[in-house]
Amino acid sequence: MSTKVYYSYSGKHGMMYGNGPVLAKKLFLEGRDSKELGFMRCPAFADHLKNVYSISVQHSIDLDIQDEFLTSNTMPQEFFDTQVKTFSGKERIYGFPQRLVFIAEDDSLEMSEESPFLSETQWSRDTNVIPGKLDIGKYFRALHCAFVIKKGVKKLKIEEGEPFFYLRFHTDKKIDFIPFYWTEEIDHIIKNFRFAGGENNEFHKWKPLKFYYDIVKKKNIKKLIMREIKKKLLK
């Protein structure tokens, strides 16, 4: 039995260089001697890796870590203007907004974002991706890769195509990933139903996830966006 998950990138980098999800286990096994990896047959380990997928970075990133901000000799100003969010320079907490969305056809499917714990890169060594969980059958939003830079790290690099973060789909079903084209209509729906809140928001404070799930259900937004998605399938 399988379940369908629709996904799409937008923006000039995502449309050209965005790759589909790849099983984290598959990437870990590449170039390794399977005879030396008997631990992977452990039921506890195998169960933990079920439906865990790697999302790769769309372009290389090279940053210098200052006391309370980021700089670079190679990244253009456009990168800092459009692809970097500072949550706390003092605590070295930043984010890379992603123009990437996943939407489940099923009424409910929880998806978690995690650090790429099986990858061996400078990015995975020097940062911790801040985890989060969302039911992509009940709500939809572009992903955000928030992370903490570990103490002592002065330079942060990640090469195009390396694992950026993992996505864990909380189901025993096989995932059938179906790409679609991100149109203006879909962009409009997603932007109008993104989380509106925060500690400094003058109008709305954060609400529990159920609040947002209930709005999508009450206003039949899932039905609306699925209708638009199925007009633009790329598979």
Side-chain angles (χ1 to χ4, degrees):
M1 184 177 294
S2 64
T3 184
K4 294 179 180 178
V5 173
Y6 301 88
Y7 75 96
S8 184
Y9 288 89
S10 73
K12 62 181 181 181
H13 296 292
M15 287 300 299
M16 183 66 70
Y17 299 104
N19 296 313
V22 179
L23 278 170
K25 179 181 178 180
K26 179 181 179 181
L27 287 181
F28 179 74
L29 288 171
E30 287 182 355
R32 297 179 184 272
D33 185 353
S34 59
K35 295 179 182 178
E36 300 297 322
L37 301 175
F39 75 93
M40 296 192 74
R41 291 192 291 272
C42 168
F45 183 80
D47 186 68
H48 186 68
L49 274 188
K50 190 166 189 177
N51 280 331
V52 177
Y53 289 81
S54 176
I55 301 298
S56 61
V57 67
Q58 298 166 27
H59 60 77
S60 298
I61 298 172
D62 188 340
L63 298 171
D64 296 306
I65 317 303
Q66 308 300 334
D67 288 341
E68 295 191 15
F69 55 92
L70 305 175
T71 62
S72 177
N73 293 322
T74 59
M75 306 303 295
Q77 184 59 44
E78 180 189 6
F79 170 77
F80 291 96
D81 293 340
T82 62
Q83 297 187 50
V84 178
K85 179 176 177 60
T86 300
F87 291 104
S88 173
K90 181 179 179 180
E91 297 297 334
R92 300 157 68 93
I93 304 174
Y94 298 92
F96 293 142
Q98 304 294 296
R99 297 286 287 173
L100 170 62
V101 67
F102 288 83
I103 301 174
E105 185 161 66
D106 287 352
D107 291 338
S108 180
L109 176 57
E110 290 189 320
M111 178 186 77
S112 299
E113 185 175 335
E114 306 176 6
S115 288
F117 52 84
L118 287 178
S119 66
E120 297 182 76
T121 63
Q122 182 180 347
W123 167 258
S124 63
R125 182 190 69 215
D126 293 342
T127 69
N128 285 320
V129 172
I130 298 173
K133 184 167 67 173
L134 185 73
D135 194 321
I136 59 172
K138 297 180 179 179
Y139 190 82
F140 31 84
R141 55 162 290 180
L143 299 183
H144 193 119
C145 182
F147 60 96
V148 180
I149 301 172
K150 295 179 181 179
K151 292 181 179 179
V153 175
K154 299 296 184 182
K155 193 169 186 64
L156 191 61
K157 293 187 68 175
I158 181 169
E159 300 297 330
E160 180 181 328
E162 289 184 343
F164 206 15
F165 52 88
Y166 285 170
L167 294 177
R168 180 185 302 276
F169 296 86
H170 297 260
T171 179
D172 290 330
K173 297 179 181 178
K174 182 180 181 296
I175 307 292
D176 182 15
F177 290 105
I178 302 175
F180 66 91
Y181 182 73
W182 191 314
T183 64
E184 289 186 8
E185 290 83 358
I186 292 171
D187 190 67
H188 182 73
I189 296 170
I190 291 174
K191 284 182 177 179
N192 278 342
F193 275 84
R194 62 188 175 188
F195 293 151
E199 295 302 318
N200 299 318
N201 190 293
E202 295 181 2
F203 300 103
H204 302 286
K205 302 302 180 184
W206 293 124
K207 302 286 197 306
L209 280 171
K210 186 178 183 301
F211 172 83
Y212 303 101
Y213 296 163
D214 287 346
I215 288 179
V216 169
K217 183 176 181 179
K218 180 179 179 181
K219 297 181 181 292
N220 286 320
I221 303 304
K222 172 80 175 285
K223 183 181 297 184
L224 174 63
I225 197 168
M226 289 303 298
R227 185 164 61 241
E228 293 299 322
I229 285 172
K230 290 186 177 182
K231 294 177 185 177
K232 300 295 180 180
L233 298 183
L234 299 176
K235 183 177 180 181

